[in-house]
Amino acid sequence: MRTTAIAHANIALAKYWGKANVADNLPAVPSLSLTLDRLRTITRVEVIESLEQDEITLDGVRLEGRPRERVVTLLDRVRNQAGISAFARVTSRNELPTAAGLASSASGFAALAMAGARAYGLSLSDTELSALARRSSASAARSLFGGFVALEAGKESAERVAPASVLPVSMVVTLTAKGPKPIGSTEGMLHTAATSPYYAAWLESAPKLYDEIRHAVLAGDLETLGAAMEQSALAMHASMWAARPAITYFTPTTLAVMARVRELRSAGTPAFYTMDAGPHVKVLVKSTDADRIAAELAGVAGVESTLVAGPGPDPRLDEGVEV
Ligand code: PMV
């Protein structure tokens, strides 16, 4: 059986950082994201009786080592549930830069869960697919839904909070550097929890910021959302900066983009930044302002490119799409 799925990346407005349970990959704090239209992963899974092991290709390159193992682990869970032992050929393409803090694992594992479950004959609900994706990458649980999506602390699966129409916003994604991130998110979270005296403060403040962000989304209040979103991102990064040794994803360009966003705001344009496990800056703006702000941020020294992403839809199966 052969199945292809398309899933979209999401960017957390209220950040997830830290695990309540490492073995089950359950988040220690609630998070809330916006799914994005322009950033997506397309994944085809073919179950082939004659294969002696899984064959996994991402963007034309055969995966080996840890990245391969993470895919095989998800497929093993699906095989167990389906009672089928045959291996699969997985072909995947990212329409976004991989492993640079641009949520490639979110769209990647969401697409893999959807295509993999179906290819092995399972009919799972969105909630079950979200739980399957979450075991591989908690942020991937959120990519099983379009619009604004929440994953509560300790919960198995994400749920939609509101459709994108509650707040007409876009993300200006500012790419500030090439190359992979210095430390992966799982390792970074465990290191922060083990060594940062600010981790406890993060665990205390994250749920409050999440509540504020959730209410602001539902109220369509971009100003409150933006202020709380910036605080969530910086509180998360502060917990990492206080780890030993520190985890610092920011570059001078990251800080320069943040400064430019604050200037735009002082000049009257609502624009708010957020940063994940990488140096790029994602700027939340009114959709009507997005192209103008993208052009402004493209002019900041060190910025390599910008792209505008609007709210994205649910993932879907699509047998016609090219991989
Ligand atoms: O689910 P992971 O392991 O990709 O971790 C995601 C962590 C952040 O991107 C930094 C925050 C988030 O909520 O997406």
Side-chain angles (χ1 to χ4, degrees):
M1 177 79 177
R2 166 185 162 146
T3 308
T4 307
I6 304 175
H8 294 253
N10 69 78
I11 299 295
L13 313 178
K15 299 298 185 194
Y16 147 62
W17 193 257
K19 297 178 195 290
N21 176 316
V22 176
D24 289 335
N25 203 34
L26 292 167
V29 296
S31 59
L32 191 151
S33 58
L34 177 63
T35 299
L36 299 179
D37 58 357
R38 285 277 303 278
L39 309 176
R40 49 183 213 164
T41 302
I42 299 148
T43 299
R44 187 172 65 210
V45 178
E46 284 174 87
V47 180
I48 302 174
E49 292 287 346
S50 59
L51 288 181
E52 287 178 3
Q53 57 169 4
D54 293 314
E55 280 181 22
I56 303 150
T57 312
L58 174 60
D59 292 329
V61 178
R62 207 54 178 283
L63 286 194
E64 301 293 346
R66 181 82 188 115
R68 177 177 188 281
E69 263 170 50
R70 291 182 72 189
V71 172
V72 170
T73 301
L74 190 152
L75 293 174
D76 283 343
R77 290 195 177 105
V78 171
R79 282 190 277 259
N80 272 338
Q81 203 172 333
I84 297 173
S85 57
F87 292 110
R89 177 173 297 142
V90 178
T91 314
S92 190
R93 176 163 64 82
N94 271 335
E95 291 181 343
L96 53 101
T98 302
L102 260 191
S104 57
S105 70
S107 52
F109 284 110
L112 180 67
M114 197 175 211
R118 182 59 70 91
Y120 279 94
L122 297 175
S123 291
L124 302 185
S125 66
D126 295 344
T127 302
E128 289 166 325
L129 288 172
S130 177
L132 175 63
R134 191 213 78 253
R135 288 179 171 276
S136 298
S137 164
S139 61
R142 301 186 308 238
S143 276
L144 263 300
F145 302 93
F148 295 95
V149 184
L151 176 61
E152 298 279 352
K155 283 279 166 62
E156 295 273 338
S157 46
E159 60 184 16
R160 193 191 326 274
V161 169
S165 54
V166 293
L167 192 61
V169 287
S170 294
M171 279 281 183
V172 178
V173 179
T174 305
L175 296 172
T176 59
K178 286 204 174 76
K181 57 189 169 185
I183 175 170
S185 52
T186 294
E187 205 189 327
M189 287 176 201
L190 299 183
H191 178 69
T192 306
T195 69
S196 173
Y198 293 178
Y199 183 65
W202 161 249
L203 292 183
E204 203 193 314
S205 56
K208 295 175 197 152
L209 290 166
Y210 165 83
D211 282 342
E212 200 180 352
I213 286 167
R214 187 179 174 115
H215 285 121
V217 165
L218 292 170
D221 177 355
L222 178 58
E223 296 286 336
T224 304
L225 166 60
M229 181 188 89
E230 288 192 350
Q231 193 177 7
S232 174
L234 289 180
M236 175 185 80
H237 283 279
S239 75
M240 299 184 219
W241 280 52
R244 183 186 292 194
I247 303 169
T248 47
Y249 289 110
F250 296 178
T251 63
T253 309
T254 309
L255 298 170
V257 175
M258 290 163 65
R260 190 75 191 101
V261 169
R262 282 191 290 264
E263 277 170 22
L264 287 168
R265 207 150 69 215
S266 306
T269 302
F272 305 91
Y273 51 70
T274 187
M275 290 73 60
D276 293 286
H280 312 300
V281 185
K282 297 97 184 193
V283 183
L284 187 71
V285 299
K286 284 187 195 167
S287 294
T288 45
D289 289 337
D291 288 336
R292 179 172 60 84
I293 293 171
E296 291 265 4
L297 296 178
V300 174
V303 169
E304 294 192 346
S305 60
T306 58
L307 67 89
V308 174
D314 291 349
R316 63 175 200 275
L317 296 171
D318 183 339
E319 299 317 329
V321 69
E322 284 287 311
V323 184

